[in-house]
């Protein structure tokens, strides 16, 4: 009898040791963007929502250099969810700067909002048009980042050799400080209308917004299918007395393809259930709408697809 009991206990112990933990935590790192932008605070808000509403989730937001950096972090396994502007399309499909090296590990999860390309020129710099940037000191974001890639394409479409631009690779807050100190002449920022790195210098009255001419916008869209024309309405920023013509890039939350389907389903569903919490952080999150999922041009993660089918956003 004692032998039988010992045997049963041994089998039970072996089962416990062999079985995976039923309540193992799911660690999720969210790649966002520089601290002066929109991605980081919204990413922190998303982490809070998931931690409070998705079982066993341990999510955190990481400040990064933006989309290109985020894609690198996902590829190396350091981020499971990332904010990504339109360059995610190039990355997934191996186009342009990703030619020959497609990033097929990405899957779309949530459509966010369009990001406008802002060009701000310091008053007194002599810059009144896009063409005037030639030979000037211009902040273009992180080295090799998505803003620099977009800027180089913009310069080329405008007939400017990127080598003729004196580039400064500054983050959002650094660009504002450099404009205040007359260390740069202009800055190119990609972000939703109302981004702080444009609000601050416009409020200080030290810069003005520059248009992107319609023919240049047309070239950008021809070269890059995910761009679209966009107008920054007059009054969007202090001192902005006229509409400003530019273009925009869509952004999404992307997730690593190997993430569990049911977990991603819960993550997606929970974000839309708590959308108002994100709108409090940034009003531009009001544009987060399941109906825009049809505009995403890379494959959806099966978990996200399950949610959108459930609510009738896709068939």
């Amino acid at each position: 009898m004692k032998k039988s009991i010992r045997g049963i206990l041994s089998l039970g112990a072996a089962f416990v040791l062999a079985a995976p933990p039923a309540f193992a935590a799911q660690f999720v790192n969210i790649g966002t963007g520089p601290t002066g932008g929109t991605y980081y605070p919204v990413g922190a808000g998303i982490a809070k929502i998931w931690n409070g509403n998705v079982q066993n989730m341990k999510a955190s937001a990481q400040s990064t250099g933006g989309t290109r950096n985020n894609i690198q972090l996902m590829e190396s396994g350091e981020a499971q969810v990332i904010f990504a502007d339109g360059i995610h399309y190039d990355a997934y499909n191996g186009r342009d700067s990703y030619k020959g090296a497609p990033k097929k590990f990405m899957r779309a999860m949530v459509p966010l909002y369009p990001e406008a390309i802002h060009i701000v020129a310091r008053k007194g710099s002599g810059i009144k048009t896009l063409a005037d940037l030639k030979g000037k000191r211009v902040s273009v974001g992180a080295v090799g980042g998505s803003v620099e890639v977009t800027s180089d394409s913009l310069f080329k479409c405008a007939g400017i050799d990127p080598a003729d631009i004196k580039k400064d690779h500054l983050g959002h807050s650094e660009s504002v400080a450099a404009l205040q100190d007359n260390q740069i002449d202009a800055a190119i920022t990609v972000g939703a209308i109302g981004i702080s790195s444009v609000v601050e210098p416009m409020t200080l009255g030290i810069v003005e917004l520059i248009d992107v001419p319609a023919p240049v916008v047309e070239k950008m869209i021809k070269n890059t299918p995910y761009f679209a024309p966009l107008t920054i309405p007059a009054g969007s920023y202090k001192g902005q007395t006229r509409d400003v013509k530019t273009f925009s890039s869509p952004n999404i939350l992307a997730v690593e393809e190997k993430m569990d389907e049911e977990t991603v389903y819960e993550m997606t569903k929970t974000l839309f259930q708590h959308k108002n919490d994100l709108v409090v952080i940034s009003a531009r999150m009001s544009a987060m709408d399941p109906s825009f999922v049809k505009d995403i041009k890379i494959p959806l993660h099966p978990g996200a697809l399950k949610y959108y089918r459930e609510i009738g956003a896709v068939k």
Side-chain angles (χ1 to χ4, degrees):
M1 183 66 177
K2 288 182 179 178
K3 281 187 177 181
S4 298
I5 293 173
R6 280 199 297 269
I8 291 169
L9 291 173
S10 297
L11 284 171
F15 177 78
V16 170
L17 289 171
F23 302 101
Q26 172 74 60
F27 292 96
V28 171
N29 190 39
I30 307 168
T32 61
T35 54
T38 303
Y39 286 172
Y40 181 70
V42 171
I46 288 172
K48 184 177 179 180
I49 289 170
W50 284 340
N51 288 337
N53 297 278
V54 179
Q55 190 175 18
N56 303 318
M57 179 147 290
K58 301 293 183 184
S60 58
Q62 177 181 346
S63 174
T64 71
T67 301
R68 289 180 69 87
N69 187 195
N70 290 343
I71 293 170
Q72 292 167 349
L73 291 171
M74 182 174 281
E75 187 169 28
S76 65
E78 297 173 74
Q80 292 69 48
V81 176
I82 61 172
F83 282 72
D85 63 22
I87 285 178
H88 71 264
Y89 175 85
D90 286 345
Y92 182 85
N93 291 288
R95 298 175 73 249
D96 294 341
S97 59
Y98 291 96
K99 190 172 182 179
K103 308 304 179 184
K104 297 294 186 181
F105 50 82
M106 287 190 296
R107 294 292 182 271
M109 181 165 64
V110 176
L112 297 176
Y113 52 84
E115 291 192 304
I117 282 68
H118 296 74
I119 305 173
V120 293
R122 182 175 50 78
K123 290 180 179 178
S125 65
I127 300 171
K128 298 297 180 183
T129 68
L130 181 60
D132 294 333
L133 292 178
K134 184 176 180 179
K136 299 295 186 178
R137 300 167 299 173
V138 183
S139 173
V140 294
V143 177
S146 56
V147 176
E148 182 175 29
V149 171
T150 300
S151 298
D152 283 352
S153 180
L154 176 62
F155 298 145
K156 291 173 185 176
C157 286
I160 302 171
D161 186 338
D164 290 335
I165 301 291
K166 298 173 183 176
K167 294 182 184 179
D168 276 89
H169 297 94
L170 307 175
H172 292 296
S173 57
E174 294 171 318
S175 291
V176 174
L179 286 165
Q180 285 182 278
D181 296 338
N182 291 343
Q183 293 176 346
I184 58 173
D185 302 303
I188 297 178
T189 297
V190 180
I193 295 173
I195 189 168
S196 61
S197 55
V198 178
V199 167
E200 188 172 348
M202 288 291 288
T203 301
L204 291 170
I206 60 174
V207 299
E208 53 191 348
L209 284 160
I210 303 299
D211 288 291
V212 179
V216 176
V217 172
E218 290 171 8
K219 288 180 183 178
M220 291 294 291
I221 294 170
K222 185 177 180 180
N223 292 344
T224 310
Y226 53 77
F227 286 142
L230 183 137
T231 297
I232 302 174
S236 296
Y237 297 97
K238 186 175 181 180
Q240 182 195 347
T241 58
R242 62 179 182 83
D243 290 348
V244 173
K245 302 296 184 181
T246 183
F247 58 101
S248 67
S249 172
N251 60 30
I252 65 170
L253 276 184
V255 61
E256 213 282 329
E257 64 172 336
K258 294 179 182 177
M259 280 198 71
D260 174 70
E261 179 177 333
E262 192 59 29
T263 300
V264 174
Y265 166 80
E266 291 294 338
M267 292 163 72
T268 307
K269 180 178 180 179
T270 301
L271 281 190
F272 284 104
Q273 288 176 334
H274 294 267
K275 174 180 172 178
N276 288 342
D277 294 342
L278 298 177
V279 175
V280 169
I281 297 170
S282 173
R284 63 210 61 161
M285 290 303 292
S286 61
M288 186 179 79
D289 191 311
S291 65
F292 294 138
V293 71
K294 64 184 183 300
D295 299 324
I296 294 177
K297 299 182 184 297
I298 70 170
L300 288 165
H301 188 282
L305 181 59
K306 177 183 175 181
Y307 172 73
Y308 295 123
R309 280 178 172 161
E310 185 177 90
I311 64 171
V314 298
K315 295 182 180 179

